[in-house]
Amino acid sequence: MVFYKPESARLIGTFQSEIEAQMIKAKLEEQGIPSWLFKDDAGSMGPPLQMVRGVELYVAPSDLELAHEILEAVEEDADMMIPIEMETPGGGNWVVWILVIFAIVIVVLGLLHYY
């Protein structure tokens, strides 16, 4: 994964997460357009910083117009997608439950280590 960007590179978008930026980067690379990501999330130690500062995606000046066309096409496709809700049989969102259990385990392990 390359986070270095040439000085002549042009910004085509700022995204809220690296995953979103990587998806667009993959679409660009499918079309033969090299691109570079730039993110400042404390060396991957603070991924929530991506939501605050964003993940920037750059392309070469010669690819700028085509990259914008691809980005617009991806955004149009995303608008047409129907979100799928994954729920447990009991009704709650299973991702939320996993995160809650994970947080509880982390807190308990932290307390055990502290005492």
Side-chain angles (χ1 to χ4, degrees):
M1 192 175 315
V2 177
F3 294 106
Y4 166 79
K5 66 178 174 56
E7 291 299 320
S8 63
R10 298 290 179 250
L11 178 68
I12 64 160
T14 303
F15 304 92
Q16 288 187 336
S17 73
E18 184 177 1
I19 294 170
E20 186 180 5
Q22 286 286 0
M23 288 173 32
I24 302 298
K25 182 175 173 38
K27 285 289 185 187
L28 293 173
E29 289 178 355
E30 284 177 5
Q31 300 298 320
I33 299 174
S35 58
W36 300 269
L37 291 177
F38 179 75
K39 63 179 184 156
D40 185 10
D41 61 357
S44 297
M45 300 276 298
L49 292 174
Q50 293 175 4
M51 291 185 289
V52 176
R53 297 178 180 158
V55 178
E56 297 174 342
L57 184 60
Y58 291 84
V59 297
S62 59
D63 297 323
L64 189 60
E65 187 175 327
L66 181 57
H68 276 296
E69 290 175 12
I70 293 169
L71 184 59
E72 288 174 13
V74 168
E75 287 173 353
E76 287 175 10
D77 288 345
D79 290 340
M80 295 172 38
M81 295 173 72
I82 300 171
I84 298 173
E85 300 264 341
M86 299 177 127
E87 295 188 1
T88 59
N93 186 331
W94 66 275
V95 174
V96 173
W97 284 109
I98 289 173
L99 291 174
V100 168
I101 291 169
F102 180 73
I104 291 170
V105 168
I106 294 297
V107 167
V108 169
L109 289 175
L111 289 173
L112 290 175
H113 180 72
Y114 182 73
Y115 292 107

mmCIF file of all heavy atoms in Angstrom, residues 80-98:
data_model
loop_
_atom_site.group_PDB
_atom_site.id
_atom_site.type_symbol
_atom_site.label_atom_id
_atom_site.label_comp_id
_atom_site.label_asym_id
_atom_site.label_seq_id
_atom_site.Cartn_x
_atom_site.Cartn_y
_atom_site.Cartn_z
ATOM 1 N N MET A 80 -28.006 4.077 -5.934
ATOM 2 C CA MET A 80 -29.032 3.127 -6.339
ATOM 3 C C MET A 80 -29.031 1.871 -5.481
ATOM 4 O O MET A 80 -29.934 1.053 -5.577
ATOM 5 C CB MET A 80 -28.844 2.762 -7.807
ATOM 6 C CG MET A 80 -29.068 3.947 -8.728
ATOM 7 S SD MET A 80 -28.639 3.672 -10.457
ATOM 8 C CE MET A 80 -29.132 2.031 -10.794
ATOM 9 N N MET A 81 -28.018 1.690 -4.648
ATOM 10 C CA MET A 81 -27.924 0.484 -3.829
ATOM 11 C C MET A 81 -28.922 0.520 -2.686
ATOM 12 O O MET A 81 -29.197 1.566 -2.114
ATOM 13 C CB MET A 81 -26.507 0.320 -3.280
ATOM 14 C CG MET A 81 -25.473 0.085 -4.349
ATOM 15 S SD MET A 81 -23.806 0.091 -3.713
ATOM 16 C CE MET A 81 -23.783 -1.434 -2.825
ATOM 17 N N ILE A 82 -29.452 -0.637 -2.356
ATOM 18 C CA ILE A 82 -30.396 -0.756 -1.249
ATOM 19 C C ILE A 82 -29.645 -1.301 -0.044
ATOM 20 O O ILE A 82 -29.041 -2.376 -0.118
ATOM 21 C CB ILE A 82 -31.556 -1.700 -1.613
ATOM 22 C CG1 ILE A 82 -32.297 -1.151 -2.831
ATOM 23 C CG2 ILE A 82 -32.482 -1.905 -0.428
ATOM 24 C CD1 ILE A 82 -33.315 -2.109 -3.400
ATOM 25 N N PRO A 83 -29.659 -0.589 1.084
ATOM 26 C CA PRO A 83 -28.943 -1.097 2.260
ATOM 27 C C PRO A 83 -29.584 -2.370 2.789
ATOM 28 O O PRO A 83 -30.802 -2.499 2.804
ATOM 29 C CB PRO A 83 -29.057 0.050 3.271
ATOM 30 C CG PRO A 83 -30.216 0.861 2.807
ATOM 31 C CD PRO A 83 -30.327 0.672 1.328
ATOM 32 N N ILE A 84 -28.744 -3.297 3.211
ATOM 33 C CA ILE A 84 -29.229 -4.555 3.762
ATOM 34 C C ILE A 84 -29.000 -4.524 5.263
ATOM 35 O O ILE A 84 -27.889 -4.320 5.727
ATOM 36 C CB ILE A 84 -28.480 -5.747 3.135
ATOM 37 C CG1 ILE A 84 -28.731 -5.783 1.641
ATOM 38 C CG2 ILE A 84 -28.888 -7.051 3.806
ATOM 39 C CD1 ILE A 84 -27.902 -6.814 0.902
ATOM 40 N N GLU A 85 -30.054 -4.714 6.014
ATOM 41 C CA GLU A 85 -29.953 -4.734 7.474
ATOM 42 C C GLU A 85 -29.701 -6.171 7.916
ATOM 43 O O GLU A 85 -30.432 -7.080 7.529
ATOM 44 C CB GLU A 85 -31.262 -4.236 8.094
ATOM 45 C CG GLU A 85 -31.626 -2.834 7.694
ATOM 46 C CD GLU A 85 -31.186 -1.819 8.712
ATOM 47 O OE1 GLU A 85 -30.930 -2.202 9.856
ATOM 48 O OE2 GLU A 85 -31.112 -0.642 8.350
ATOM 49 N N MET A 86 -28.684 -6.389 8.710
ATOM 50 C CA MET A 86 -28.413 -7.713 9.255
ATOM 51 C C MET A 86 -28.854 -7.706 10.707
ATOM 52 O O MET A 86 -28.269 -7.016 11.528
ATOM 53 C CB MET A 86 -26.930 -8.045 9.140
ATOM 54 C CG MET A 86 -26.419 -8.072 7.742
ATOM 55 S SD MET A 86 -24.668 -8.392 7.728
ATOM 56 C CE MET A 86 -24.607 -9.760 6.621
ATOM 57 N N GLU A 87 -29.875 -8.475 10.987
ATOM 58 C CA GLU A 87 -30.411 -8.482 12.342
ATOM 59 C C GLU A 87 -30.411 -9.884 12.915
ATOM 60 O O GLU A 87 -30.508 -10.866 12.190
ATOM 61 C CB GLU A 87 -31.830 -7.914 12.350
ATOM 62 C CG GLU A 87 -31.887 -6.452 11.960
ATOM 63 C CD GLU A 87 -33.268 -5.864 12.164
ATOM 64 O OE1 GLU A 87 -34.160 -6.589 12.617
ATOM 65 O OE2 GLU A 87 -33.443 -4.685 11.864
ATOM 66 N N THR A 88 -30.332 -9.937 14.224
ATOM 67 C CA THR A 88 -30.431 -11.205 14.919
ATOM 68 C C THR A 88 -31.906 -11.586 15.004
ATOM 69 O O THR A 88 -32.782 -10.735 14.884
ATOM 70 C CB THR A 88 -29.853 -11.086 16.345
ATOM 71 O OG1 THR A 88 -30.579 -10.093 17.041
ATOM 72 C CG2 THR A 88 -28.390 -10.725 16.308
ATOM 73 N N PRO A 89 -32.211 -12.860 15.231
ATOM 74 C CA PRO A 89 -33.616 -13.254 15.338
ATOM 75 C C PRO A 89 -34.354 -12.489 16.440
ATOM 76 O O PRO A 89 -35.543 -12.261 16.343
ATOM 77 C CB PRO A 89 -33.547 -14.748 15.654
ATOM 78 C CG PRO A 89 -32.218 -15.179 15.148
ATOM 79 C CD PRO A 89 -31.318 -13.989 15.274
ATOM 80 N N GLY A 90 -33.636 -12.058 17.476
ATOM 81 C CA GLY A 90 -34.265 -11.313 18.566
ATOM 82 C C GLY A 90 -34.589 -9.876 18.192
ATOM 83 O O GLY A 90 -35.276 -9.178 18.903
ATOM 84 N N GLY A 91 -34.051 -9.396 17.075
ATOM 85 C CA GLY A 91 -34.392 -8.059 16.616
ATOM 86 C C GLY A 91 -33.250 -7.064 16.599
ATOM 87 O O GLY A 91 -33.259 -6.141 15.826
ATOM 88 N N GLY A 92 -32.224 -7.208 17.437
ATOM 89 C CA GLY A 92 -31.157 -6.215 17.499
ATOM 90 C C GLY A 92 -30.150 -6.357 16.373
ATOM 91 O O GLY A 92 -30.049 -7.396 15.737
ATOM 92 N N ASN A 93 -29.410 -5.320 16.138
ATOM 93 C CA ASN A 93 -28.371 -5.340 15.120
ATOM 94 C C ASN A 93 -27.176 -6.113 15.669
ATOM 95 O O ASN A 93 -26.609 -5.764 16.694
ATOM 96 C CB ASN A 93 -27.979 -3.905 14.773
ATOM 97 C CG ASN A 93 -27.016 -3.826 13.625
ATOM 98 O OD1 ASN A 93 -26.240 -4.736 13.403
ATOM 99 N ND2 ASN A 93 -27.069 -2.738 12.902
ATOM 100 N N TRP A 94 -26.750 -7.161 14.975
ATOM 101 C CA TRP A 94 -25.706 -8.045 15.504
ATOM 102 C C TRP A 94 -24.348 -7.365 15.596
ATOM 103 O O TRP A 94 -23.545 -7.701 16.461
ATOM 104 C CB TRP A 94 -25.616 -9.324 14.682
ATOM 105 C CG TRP A 94 -25.152 -9.141 13.268
ATOM 106 C CD1 TRP A 94 -25.913 -8.818 12.192
ATOM 107 C CD2 TRP A 94 -23.816 -9.248 12.790
ATOM 108 N NE1 TRP A 94 -25.151 -8.720 11.074
ATOM 109 C CE2 TRP A 94 -23.852 -8.981 11.402
ATOM 110 C CE3 TRP A 94 -22.599 -9.541 13.380
ATOM 111 C CZ2 TRP A 94 -22.719 -9.001 10.610
ATOM 112 C CZ3 TRP A 94 -21.469 -9.560 12.587
ATOM 113 C CH2 TRP A 94 -21.539 -9.289 11.223
ATOM 114 N N VAL A 95 -24.067 -6.391 14.737
ATOM 115 C CA VAL A 95 -22.779 -5.690 14.792
ATOM 116 C C VAL A 95 -22.671 -4.904 16.091
ATOM 117 O O VAL A 95 -21.625 -4.879 16.740
ATOM 118 C CB VAL A 95 -22.604 -4.768 13.564
ATOM 119 C CG1 VAL A 95 -21.340 -3.937 13.688
ATOM 120 C CG2 VAL A 95 -22.590 -5.580 12.282
ATOM 121 N N VAL A 96 -23.761 -4.264 16.483
ATOM 122 C CA VAL A 96 -23.771 -3.496 17.732
ATOM 123 C C VAL A 96 -23.496 -4.416 18.911
ATOM 124 O O VAL A 96 -22.707 -4.083 19.799
ATOM 125 C CB VAL A 96 -25.109 -2.757 17.912
ATOM 126 C CG1 VAL A 96 -25.192 -2.108 19.280
ATOM 127 C CG2 VAL A 96 -25.305 -1.734 16.809
ATOM 128 N N TRP A 97 -24.121 -5.590 18.907
ATOM 129 C CA TRP A 97 -23.915 -6.527 20.018
ATOM 130 C C TRP A 97 -22.465 -7.004 20.081
ATOM 131 O O TRP A 97 -21.893 -7.138 21.154
ATOM 132 C CB TRP A 97 -24.865 -7.716 19.907
ATOM 133 C CG TRP A 97 -26.250 -7.333 20.307
ATOM 134 C CD1 TRP A 97 -27.327 -7.192 19.503
ATOM 135 C CD2 TRP A 97 -26.694 -6.989 21.631
ATOM 136 N NE1 TRP A 97 -28.412 -6.782 20.231
ATOM 137 C CE2 TRP A 97 -28.056 -6.660 21.542
ATOM 138 C CE3 TRP A 97 -26.073 -6.932 22.871
ATOM 139 C CZ2 TRP A 97 -28.812 -6.279 22.643
ATOM 140 C CZ3 TRP A 97 -26.824 -6.554 23.973
ATOM 141 C CH2 TRP A 97 -28.172 -6.239 23.852
ATOM 142 N N ILE A 98 -21.870 -7.267 18.944
ATOM 143 C CA ILE A 98 -20.470 -7.691 18.921
ATOM 144 C C ILE A 98 -19.574 -6.590 19.480
ATOM 145 O O ILE A 98 -18.672 -6.844 20.275
ATOM 146 C CB ILE A 98 -20.043 -8.091 17.493
ATOM 147 C CG1 ILE A 98 -20.723 -9.398 17.106
ATOM 148 C CG2 ILE A 98 -18.522 -8.221 17.383
ATOM 149 C CD1 ILE A 98 -20.513 -9.817 15.678
#
